[in-house]
Amino acid sequence: GVATSAYQVEGGIENDWAEWERQGKLKEPHARCGIAVDHWRRYAEDYALAKAVGATAFRLSLEWARIEPVRGRFDGAALEGYRERLLQLRAQGLRPVVTLHHFTHPTWFHAATPWHLPESLEAFRQYVRRCAPLLEGLDALVISFNEPMVLLLGGYLQGLMPPGITDGAKTMAALGNMVRAHVIAREELGQHLGRVELGISQNMLAFAPDRWWHPLDRSLVRLAAPAYNHAFHEALSSGHLRVFMPGVASTDVRIEGARDSVEFVGVNYYTRAHLRFMPRPPFIDFKYRDPDGRGLTDIGWEQRPEGFLQLLQEVKRYGKPVWITENGIDDRKGTVRPEYLHAHLRQVLAAREAGVDVQGYLYWSLLDNFEWLEGWGPRFGLYHVDFD
Ligand code: BGC
């Protein structure tokens, strides 16, 4: 299948990210998402494009800001619009994979109910309650959160993404609440739909020490890999949320209802990061390197297909079916993607042979789209989009 997210493709969305853009906070300070790639209007054509590459599943996200633009006021036309699109997907023979939260928030969210406060939970519950009827009768796969660790690192620790906070304690409070919010999504969807196939999409990185011989770089990898790749998965499996990154952020709590709260494990895989210990806070520096000479991708990431197999083998421990909810490459000329895909799919097959129950693979992305901090430069699409 193929993957998309609302803000990156739909167009015409007013949310926290749109505000961030206007404040000039992207790496590309003048980039604006605007009409994105006009998918809200052209969705039927885009579904046909997905069919044409043989996809049988289509991942999209619901935009909270479209559904609840003003706190407590839900937009009936937006809800109907999503229902119509989901029914169309089904009619086209594409299984909907529906993300409830993919990085963005309504503009009121961070001031009123940010993730580090318990009020976020009730706000999310109200939102999910309105989303539940949209999923009725679709046999959809549902993802509560896309890449919570990326959102938390970017938005709460490094201040690069909305809400622009840089606070380890708030990061850990927000992390705990996102795990609780997943449990809430499960309750709300369960009440409305009975059985639901719910999981998360976890960004997973292969890690290596920047200096292979350096004990501190090596210890960093030993701490960061379980925290970044597994803390969220682990919490939804055992009910125990544990992050141990001394001097950065740590937490150790049991979350009620989180134990055994997914039907599948969602993995987003792109690359490997080399970690280097820095003598001053935040103590960690990371780089993408190209030790095997495959060439960095256009966005500057290492191509590391072997890491994919390793991480898929690691998630076997959760004893659930695995969905690859994203994998892909920014390849602006479109010359490297075939080999990238081939190499990565070979690793997926190897994982299956090694007994990992991989059920699905969703390529990121169907179309070139708005790439967050980088704006319109990167091209992850199977289809090239003429942005003009
Ligand atoms: C995100 C996508 C993003 C992609 C490429 C993932 O981190 O879920 O929204 O476009 O990777 O950076």
Side-chain angles (χ1 to χ4, degrees):
V2 290
T4 63
S5 91
Y7 189 64
Q8 295 177 274
V9 297
E10 285 182 3
I13 294 172
E14 180 52 34
N15 61 14
D16 59 342
W17 203 279
E19 277 186 343
W20 200 250
E21 287 164 21
R22 285 196 297 270
Q23 292 164 7
K25 291 183 175 162
L26 304 185
K27 262 193 217 152
E28 285 295 329
H30 301 295
R32 298 288 178 271
C33 182
I35 67 161
V37 291
D38 206 14
H39 173 74
W40 186 252
R41 214 168 52 86
R42 294 174 186 247
Y43 67 96
E45 274 174 65
D46 294 344
Y47 296 170
L49 294 176
K51 292 278 293 185
V53 291
T56 55
F58 190 107
R59 179 173 171 215
L60 54 77
S61 70
L62 306 177
E63 180 68 34
W64 189 351
R66 209 188 259 294
I67 293 178
E68 192 183 359
V70 177
R71 190 174 177 200
R73 267 209 251 137
F74 294 87
D75 185 321
L79 290 165
E80 270 164 39
Y82 278 122
R83 178 66 180 166
E84 163 63 20
R85 283 159 180 79
L86 290 166
L87 288 172
Q88 277 255 5
L89 270 185
R90 255 289 159 231
Q92 295 287 324
L94 291 161
R95 183 175 190 198
V97 180
V98 182
T99 314
L100 301 176
H101 185 282
H102 196 122
F103 294 162
T104 56
H105 305 84
T107 47
W108 51 265
F109 181 85
H110 302 299
T113 64
W115 284 115
H116 57 277
L117 299 184
E119 288 80 359
S120 55
L121 300 178
E122 186 53 29
F124 192 66
R125 183 186 291 283
Q126 294 304 325
Y127 163 63
V128 178
R129 189 167 287 170
R130 301 316 192 286
C131 296
L134 306 179
L135 301 170
E136 222 163 83
L138 293 175
D139 183 31
L141 211 63
V142 187
I143 293 164
S144 57
F145 288 103
N146 179 69
E147 301 189 345
M149 288 308 199
V150 172
L151 172 71
L152 290 167
L153 261 183
Y156 280 81
L157 202 59
Q158 298 174 309
L160 296 172
M161 289 162 52
I165 292 172
T166 49
D167 181 322
K170 285 184 181 162
T171 304
M172 290 299 101
L175 170 61
N177 282 336
M178 290 178 88
V179 174
R180 292 181 189 98
H182 169 89
V183 176
I184 285 173
R186 178 168 207 81
E187 287 167 16
E188 288 296 326
L189 298 177
Q191 268 173 30
H192 196 92
L193 305 167
R195 209 185 138 275
V196 55
E197 260 185 89
L198 182 68
I200 58 153
S201 276
Q202 172 71 15
N203 181 280
M204 298 187 77
L205 285 165
F207 285 107
D210 196 36
R211 297 159 292 188
W212 65 266
W213 47 269
H214 199 295
L216 291 173
D217 290 4
R218 295 163 73 111
S219 343
L220 260 190
V221 169
R222 271 196 301 275
L223 294 174
Y228 185 85
N229 287 333
H230 288 286
F232 217 97
H233 283 319
E234 184 59 49
L236 303 183
S237 172
S238 68
H240 190 174
L241 175 64
R242 192 166 173 276
V243 170
F244 183 62
M245 294 291 295
V248 184
S250 299
T251 187
D252 191 339
V253 278
R254 292 207 169 266
I255 308 260
E256 213 185 308
R259 187 158 183 245
D260 199 17
S261 64
V262 291
E263 276 63 44
F264 66 92
V265 171
V267 175
N268 292 357
Y269 178 74
Y270 290 90
T271 187
R272 171 166 74 169
H274 280 77
L275 302 185
R276 178 184 277 251
F277 177 78
M278 305 285 287
R280 273 176 301 281
F283 304 114
I284 308 177
D285 189 24
F286 83 96
K287 295 188 167 48
Y288 300 112
R289 299 203 175 282
D290 183 26
D292 302 323
R294 291 181 174 117
L296 296 175
T297 70
D298 289 338
I299 204 170
W301 298 350
E302 183 186 355
Q303 299 184 52
R304 182 70 184 168
E306 300 83 350
F308 205 2
L309 173 60
Q310 175 209 321
L311 291 164
L312 288 172
Q313 282 178 313
E314 287 181 17
V315 297
K316 200 173 157 184
R317 69 171 84 137
Y318 301 113
K320 299 281 174 181
V322 175
W323 274 74
I324 290 133
T325 42
E326 288 180 29
N327 170 238
I329 179 173
D330 165 25
D331 178 20
R332 301 181 196 181
K333 295 207 191 83
T335 49
V336 188
R337 184 171 293 106
E339 178 47 34
Y340 178 97
L341 258 168
H342 208 244
H344 284 76
L345 288 169
R346 272 200 300 267
Q347 302 293 322
V348 175
L349 291 179
R352 278 172 65 110
E353 271 153 32
V356 186
D357 182 15
V358 181
Q359 298 268 329
Y361 172 95
L362 307 175
Y363 179 79
W364 182 272
S365 176
L366 172 66
L367 308 156
D368 295 334
N369 59 47
F370 186 78
E371 176 56 30
W372 304 118
L373 294 170
E374 317 265 342
W376 293 109
R379 290 184 177 272
F380 280 89
L382 284 180
Y383 286 97
H384 177 92
V385 176
D386 177 342
F387 295 134
D388 291 331

